[in-house]
Amino acid sequence: MLRSGGWRMELGELPAARAPAPPSASSGTCWLEGLLNRSCRPIGGLPGPIRPRPQPVSANPRVATGLVPRRARPSERFFRVGPGAEAMAPWALLTPGVLVRTGHTVLTWGITLVLFLHDTALRQWEEQGELLLPLTFLLLVLASLLLYLTVSLMDPGYVNVLPQPQEEAKEEQTAMVPQAIPLRRCRYCMVLQPLRARHCRECRRCVRRYDHHCPWMENCVGERNHPLFVAYLALQLVVLLWALYLAWSGLRFFQPWGLWLRSSGLLFATFLLLSLFSLVAGLLLASHLYLVASNTTTWEFISSHRIAYLRQRPGNPFDRGLTRNLAHFFCGWPSGSWEALWAEDEEEEGSSQAV
């Protein structure tokens, strides 16, 4: 006990130094309020754990399941112009396919116009009143252009990503084929590829009886449009050779060369361009006719050492002779799946080895 002046205090009554009270969820106050001179949020008011924001689910099952690549999703071709409104982006119309087809169309009619404006055989026929040959030439040019657009825009034979009801019977039929056929699942589309199908990275789809991706068409050449592609090459070669003759008929070489270049320079450039196109079209037509006659494709011819169903055989298992190959390619006769044809060749080879 301490005595001082007129008051006393017990030792036990000494006020202990109070530490700042820890924050309490029930009090709703923070001891830093006085130091920071600002209010603090109580611990009990802190938000709960942060949860990931749910992604919107698309109504399209292909997009919802992730079967469509990110670049191929159609929503990226649109932009918002108002609340809840979407419109086609102007730059979405300038796709490579549109640019290539527009360039082909402009180049075709531009060359035709040059042949009509210069003193060629085409213009001489027109001046003499012989309109049959000029009209025939124009009709061939128009037919080749329409055939080009048809092959370029049509479905080359895409493998359906989602199973269709009519394809269930085909899967049952393929199950009856011997299991030696090395069918595989595409690592991009995740679909079971039929025999002779291949994934095209430019089109981002699997194509039946894949031949090649044509950059001039901006489309794949496959099971459905390959016959029309060969017909287009043949018709285009006829038009190019005729146009080459017409351009040559209008060339007059004389001196001085400067005057000749001003009068016939455009026609001479057209002649050189037609020569190049004729050479390319002739080589393509000859190579495709050879492939059709042997019932093979460009991809199989170039990469036969990488294809499983061709590495197992010494020759082409789909070759059935020139007549049957041409009939099957252009007319679809005799009909049948490639798996059945492959199995038939397997049985014939096995019987020959047994004998």
Side-chain angles (χ1 to χ4, degrees):
M1 174 181 3
L2 296 179
R3 299 177 182 270
S4 175
W7 58 273
R8 63 180 184 180
M9 182 181 295
E10 297 290 337
L11 292 177
E13 297 178 6
L14 289 174
R18 294 184 180 180
S24 173
S26 60
S27 62
T29 60
C30 179
W31 62 277
L32 291 175
E33 290 182 358
L35 298 177
L36 301 179
N37 196 20
R38 59 185 300 181
S39 61
C40 299
R41 175 179 293 182
I43 296 179
L46 291 178
I50 300 177
R51 299 179 180 179
R53 184 178 181 181
Q55 299 293 332
V57 180
S58 175
N60 190 348
R62 293 177 56 193
V63 178
T65 56
L67 295 177
V68 178
R70 177 64 181 167
R71 293 177 299 172
R73 296 182 183 179
S75 60
E76 295 185 354
R77 300 196 302 265
F78 298 86
F79 67 99
R80 294 187 177 275
V81 294
E86 288 188 350
M88 176 70 73
W91 56 85
L93 300 176
L94 300 178
T95 59
V98 173
L99 296 177
V100 168
R101 297 175 190 111
T102 304
H104 179 87
T105 304
V106 172
L107 185 62
T108 299
W109 291 118
I111 291 177
T112 306
L113 184 62
V114 169
L115 296 177
F116 268 100
L117 293 179
H118 287 77
D119 189 17
T120 60
L122 193 64
R123 186 173 181 178
Q124 295 174 6
W125 294 334
E126 182 183 1
E127 293 176 352
Q128 295 173 3
E130 300 176 359
L131 300 180
L132 180 59
L133 292 177
L135 288 177
T136 304
F137 179 76
L138 287 178
L139 289 177
L140 288 179
V141 172
L142 181 60
S144 67
L145 184 59
L146 293 178
L147 194 55
Y148 164 82
L149 294 176
T150 302
V151 178
S152 179
L153 296 173
M154 73 179 299
D155 180 7
Y158 292 129
V159 180
N160 292 324
V161 177
L162 298 179
Q164 301 294 332
Q166 59 269 20
E167 292 188 355
E168 297 180 357
K170 295 182 179 180
E171 295 181 358
E172 295 177 358
Q173 293 175 2
T174 55
M176 301 173 58
V177 180
Q179 297 300 323
I181 300 179
L183 298 180
R184 67 186 187 93
R185 189 172 294 275
C186 178
R187 60 179 179 177
Y188 300 99
C189 299
M190 299 305 295
V191 297
L192 190 62
Q193 288 183 341
L195 208 60
R196 311 188 77 178
R198 185 177 185 267
H199 184 86
C200 176
R201 295 186 179 182
E202 287 77 11
C203 297
R204 296 187 289 272
R205 296 283 299 274
C206 286
V207 182
R208 298 178 182 271
R209 198 184 179 275
Y210 176 86
D211 189 88
H212 72 285
H213 182 88
C214 182
W216 189 250
M217 295 276 183
E218 195 56 32
N219 194 15
C220 282
V221 177
E223 189 174 57
R224 293 190 60 187
N225 62 348
H226 199 179
L228 290 179
F229 178 76
V230 175
Y232 162 73
L233 288 178
L235 181 58
Q236 187 67 56
L237 182 60
V238 172
V239 174
L240 287 173
L241 292 178
W242 196 352
L244 189 65
Y245 162 74
L246 294 175
W248 178 258
S249 66
L251 290 176
R252 304 289 187 272
F253 297 96
F254 56 87
Q255 293 182 350
W257 295 110
L259 180 60
W260 174 84
L261 189 61
R262 286 193 298 269
S263 61
S264 303
L266 183 59
L267 185 61
F268 184 69
T270 303
F271 174 79
L272 294 180
L273 194 62
L274 290 172
S275 302
L276 178 62
F277 287 164
S278 301
L279 179 62
V280 173
L283 292 177
L284 283 176
L285 180 61
S287 62
H288 278 275
L289 287 178
Y290 170 77
L291 295 175
V292 169
S294 58
N295 201 352
T296 187
T297 62
T298 303
W299 174 58
E300 293 173 344
F301 182 79
I302 296 176
S303 306
S304 58
H305 60 285
R306 298 169 48 192
I307 303 175
Y309 60 83
L310 294 181
R311 290 200 307 262
Q312 302 177 4
R313 304 293 180 83
N316 182 13
F318 308 107
D319 189 5
R320 286 298 178 267
L322 177 61
T323 305
R324 297 185 63 182
N325 290 340
L326 294 177
H328 185 272
F329 181 80
F330 289 104
C331 305
W333 181 87
S335 60
S337 63
W338 300 117
E339 290 82 4
L341 191 61
W342 195 92
E344 180 182 349
D345 185 80
E346 177 77 15
E347 293 177 359
E348 292 179 0
E349 184 178 355
S351 61
S352 62
Q353 291 179 358
V355 174

